Amino acid sequence: MLLPTHFIAGLIIGKLTGNYPASLIGSMAIDLDHVISYFKHGILFKPKKLAVAMMERRDPRGDHRFLHNVFSWAAISILVLILDKGIGLIFGFAYLAHLVLDALNNADLFPLFPINKINLRKPIIKYFSIQELIFTSFLLLVFFIL
């Protein structure tokens, strides 16, 4: 899913829990692995190459998914839980929401990554599509209704 979808999911979780910072960080910070990959491959400050890379459903560089798996989710969520139970639960739930949203469009091989030779299914929502725009609009509507 694209960043706005993750942002809106974080807003929904923040509204439900009363903790916007923990939910927004949990739902969006996971994509820092994209930024690190873009920097590592020298495209972070090249707008045309960066735009192309951001629209790719799969990672042709093969290295930006180290935070997009259940192993990282469990380890980081447990660490945050140890530091603060309330924040840790919200953060962990928002992080899991990020993984589930990405799994809907099969951008990640959740939950089997890093065993990336296995593709379990076809995407439910196509990446960077009208379907995703409608889904994101639906999430935004949910946020305003809550």
Side-chain angles (χ1 to χ4, degrees):
M1 292 281 168
L2 295 172
L3 193 59
T5 311
H6 295 303
F7 179 75
I8 295 168
L11 287 176
I12 291 170
I13 295 167
K15 196 169 208 178
L16 291 172
T17 63
N19 190 330
Y20 284 99
S23 63
L24 287 170
I25 290 169
S27 69
M28 295 178 57
I30 287 53
D31 278 339
L32 283 174
D33 57 8
H34 294 275
V35 176
I36 293 166
S37 176
Y38 299 155
F39 179 77
K40 179 180 169 184
H41 293 280
I43 61 173
L44 185 60
F45 301 108
K46 296 179 180 173
K48 288 181 183 178
K49 288 184 179 184
L50 182 61
V52 169
M54 291 173 66
M55 299 308 150
E56 295 169 329
R57 185 171 72 90
R58 295 264 181 229
D59 174 24
R61 292 160 296 283
D63 65 352
H64 85 259
R65 293 298 180 197
F66 62 89
L67 293 176
H68 283 77
N69 63 73
V70 293
F71 307 115
S72 294
W73 167 76
I76 294 169
S77 295
I78 289 170
L79 179 64
V80 178
L81 269 168
I82 290 169
L83 297 173
D84 186 295
K85 287 181 184 174
I87 290 173
L89 286 172
I90 296 165
F91 174 88
F93 182 69
Y95 190 157
L96 183 62
H98 181 111
L99 294 177
V100 170
L101 286 173
D102 278 355
L104 290 176
N105 65 16
N106 205 13
D108 298 297
L109 301 179
F110 177 84
L112 296 176
F113 186 86
I115 307 167
N116 59 5
K117 302 261 187 241
I118 300 170
N119 190 347
L120 296 178
R121 60 176 170 64
K122 295 184 187 260
I124 295 169
I125 297 172
K126 292 180 182 174
Y127 184 76
F128 197 60
S129 67
I130 296 297
Q131 291 174 315
E132 187 172 352
L133 178 63
I134 292 168
F135 181 74
T136 303
S137 300
F138 172 75
L139 288 180
L140 190 59
L141 181 64
V142 168
F143 173 72
F144 285 118
I145 291 173
L146 291 177

